[in-house]
Amino acid sequence: GCPEGTRHGAQTLLKILAGDEYVLDNVCAGWVELLVAELLHVHPTVKAFSNRAWMIEMSTLCIQCKNGGRMGPLEELLLAVFDLDVQEVVRLSSCYLGAWFTAHLTEPAAAV
C-alpha cells in the first residue's frame, strides 16, 4: 500500500484541484493566495476583470477569512485597482509607495 503521508497529501491535492473551499482555506497562508486559489479552482470560468464587482466581493471575503477583515495598505491598494479607481490608486501609491512609484505608475497602464 501507499504510505499514510503520501495518501493524505494526494487526497489534499485532489481536494484542492476539485475546489474544496474548506481545504483551500486551510492550505492557503494569506488572503491573496486564497483569492488566487478560489479563482483557479472554485471559479475557473469567471473573468475577474470583466466582473469587477464580483472580484471586489471575493477579495473582501478572502480578506475577512484570512485577515479578520483588517485592511492594510496592500488590501486598500489592490481593492482600488480592482475597482479601477485611478484617483485612489494614485493617492494610496503616493502615501505607501513613494513619489518615484507614483510618477511611473502610468507606464504599465499605458502599455495595456
Side-chain angles (χ1 to χ4, degrees), residues 2-48:
C2 183
E4 185 60 32
T6 302
R7 181 179 23 250
H8 177 71
Q11 287 174 335
T12 301
L13 177 61
L14 291 172
K15 288 178 181 179
I16 289 169
L17 294 173
D20 184 318
E21 291 183 89
Y22 177 79
V23 172
L24 289 175
D25 183 38
N26 287 322
V27 299
C28 292
W31 76 267
V32 174
E33 186 179 358
L34 180 58
L35 176 63
V36 171
E38 286 274 343
L39 287 170
L40 290 174
H41 302 297
V42 179
H43 307 283
T45 60
V46 171
K47 295 190 183 329

Side-chain angles (χ1 to χ4, degrees), residues 73-112:
L74 174 65
E75 290 79 15
E76 290 179 34
L77 182 59
L78 286 176
L79 288 177
V81 168
F82 295 155
D83 197 26
L84 299 178
D85 187 345
V86 176
Q87 289 180 332
E88 186 68 2
V89 170
V90 170
R91 184 187 76 75
L92 291 169
S93 296
S94 65
C95 288
Y96 300 123
L97 301 174
W100 182 90
F101 184 84
T102 304
H104 296 280
L105 186 63
T106 59
E107 293 171 10
V112 174

